[in-house]
Amino acid sequence: MSQEKPLPFIYQFGAGAVAGVSEILVMYPLDVVKTRVQLQQGKGAGEEGYNGMVDCFRKIIKNEGFSRLYRGITAPILMEAPKRATKFAANDEWGKVYRKFFDAPQMTQSLSVLTGASAGATESFVVVPFELIKIRLQDRASAGKYNGMVDAFTKIVKAEGIFAMYNGLESTMWRHVLWNAGYFGCIFQVRELMPKAENKGQQTRNDLISGATGGTVGTILNTPMDVVKSRIQNSPRVLGQAPKYNWAWPALATVMKEEGFASLYKGFLPKVLRLGPGGGILLVVFTGMMDFFRQMRGDV
């Protein structure tokens, strides 16, 4: 991510972990609202349905209490450290691989997109089990079924088998490939277009703007796959029955056929409000931590 000499993997991992946990502590309620809206089939009606982000916030707080907006946060907290660390570290490592393979002295726009997509695919293998537990805990219908992350893991494995923890791997890969390609590709382009930072304040401004722009574009690209992923991971596997939502592209076609194209962008507003500013937070914290590690090592 940084233009300076790359640091060893352990420092990239640490910086990514701190950046990821910082982002989720600020933005998690928007993720709960996004998941509730995405899992709702058809249009929300009555006291049980949600007519949008604000209505979902209001009904969760009114009917279930404010603390429900943080239900299931343990799984994402445990996931975010390895997830974000893997995202940034894999992006740096894949960048080295592709620069060497294509004999490119520095990153280009196309290499940034390719590198981001590869990092997204790598990241998917880390996050799927955590994502599945998070989705199950966030769903209102599962409120009384699971008593927390460990209980959810135990019951899912007992009822559906250990491999059920990787339900939705394919759709998660598509989601992360699309988001990371848009995110890292946009960061590169926006940084190139912005005035060169003369001081730390201007560098933070550039990181916030480029990170937020990348997060927004990535969200536009990957929301349909995020909707499909939520549906797949919230569908318990029953022996002898084919699930309604299984593979990514057929599930996407099913949702679009039954609910219309707009349904593929359910939860878009809370998602973009989280991942737009969240992308800026990620980049600022990650860059700040990398600078801190360089100073600590005496590399500046």
Side-chain angles (χ1 to χ4, degrees):
M1 294 299 301
S2 183
Q3 297 301 314
E4 293 92 343
K5 179 182 176 182
L7 289 173
F9 175 81
I10 187 64
Y11 293 102
Q12 299 172 28
F13 188 93
V18 173
V21 172
S22 300
E23 187 270 343
I24 198 170
L25 287 172
V26 176
M27 297 291 185
Y28 187 74
L30 286 168
D31 190 65
V32 173
V33 169
K34 178 213 73 169
T35 301
R36 291 287 186 93
V37 174
Q38 287 181 343
L39 292 177
Q40 179 175 264
Q41 299 184 31
K43 294 184 177 181
E47 194 60 28
E48 296 297 312
Y50 306 122
N51 294 317
M53 182 184 73
V54 175
D55 184 56
C56 186
F57 261 118
R58 182 182 65 82
K59 287 179 177 175
I60 289 174
I61 294 171
K62 178 183 176 182
N63 299 331
E64 305 172 52
F66 181 81
S67 63
R68 188 64 68 177
L69 292 172
Y70 282 89
R71 177 174 168 82
I73 196 172
T74 306
I77 285 287
L78 292 176
M79 171 184 73
E80 285 298 311
K83 171 186 174 182
R84 300 300 185 187
T86 302
K87 178 195 294 294
F88 285 105
N91 191 69
D92 278 351
E93 293 302 316
W94 280 112
K96 295 175 190 175
V97 170
Y98 288 131
R99 283 198 302 272
K100 183 176 181 181
F101 183 80
F102 291 105
D103 197 24
Q106 59 186 15
M107 291 298 290
T108 63
Q109 174 72 15
S110 56
L111 281 182
S112 292
V113 172
L114 181 61
T115 297
S118 300
T122 305
E123 176 190 4
S124 300
F125 288 94
V126 176
V127 307
V128 171
F130 295 97
E131 279 281 329
L132 186 138
I133 290 174
K134 183 197 74 169
I135 293 293
R136 299 285 180 95
L137 288 172
Q138 288 179 342
D139 183 22
R140 181 178 59 195
S142 301
K145 188 174 180 181
Y146 307 117
N147 294 319
M149 186 185 73
V150 176
D151 184 57
F153 173 79
T154 303
K155 288 179 177 176
I156 291 169
V157 171
K158 183 177 180 180
E160 304 172 46
I162 188 65
F163 292 112
M165 298 305 301
Y166 272 88
N167 287 346
L169 174 61
E170 179 217 8
S171 56
T172 302
M173 290 186 74
W174 280 112
R175 184 186 75 156
H176 286 247
V177 164
L178 292 169
W179 196 86
N180 281 19
Y183 181 65
F184 288 110
C186 277
I187 285 174
F188 177 88
Q189 188 63 39
V190 173
R191 276 177 164 171
E192 290 293 307
L193 294 173
M194 294 189 71
K196 184 175 177 61
E198 302 287 342
N199 53 52
K200 194 68 178 176
Q202 292 180 0
Q203 181 63 51
T204 300
R205 175 205 64 194
N206 288 0
D207 285 344
L208 274 172
I209 293 173
S210 57
T213 302
T216 300
V217 172
T219 302
I220 292 171
L221 291 175
N222 89 336
T223 295
M225 279 299 167
D226 193 43
V227 171
V228 166
K229 182 198 76 71
S230 294
R231 300 282 182 94
I232 291 173
Q233 292 191 317
N234 199 49
S235 301
R237 294 297 189 261
V238 178
L239 190 64
Q241 293 184 16
K244 181 178 181 179
Y245 306 109
N246 196 354
W247 298 101
W249 293 101
L252 188 144
T254 299
V255 172
M256 188 163 60
K257 179 181 177 181
E258 294 182 352
E259 304 173 46
F261 178 79
S263 64
L264 294 175
Y265 278 87
K266 281 185 172 181
F268 175 77
L269 185 56
K271 183 176 168 68
V272 79
L273 286 175
R274 178 192 178 188
L275 295 180
I281 293 171
L282 276 172
L283 192 58
V284 168
V285 176
F286 180 80
T287 303
M289 288 301 300
M290 291 293 274
D291 289 343
F292 170 76
F293 288 142
R294 285 191 176 90
Q295 290 179 351
M296 186 178 71
R297 285 165 51 90
D299 289 351
V300 294

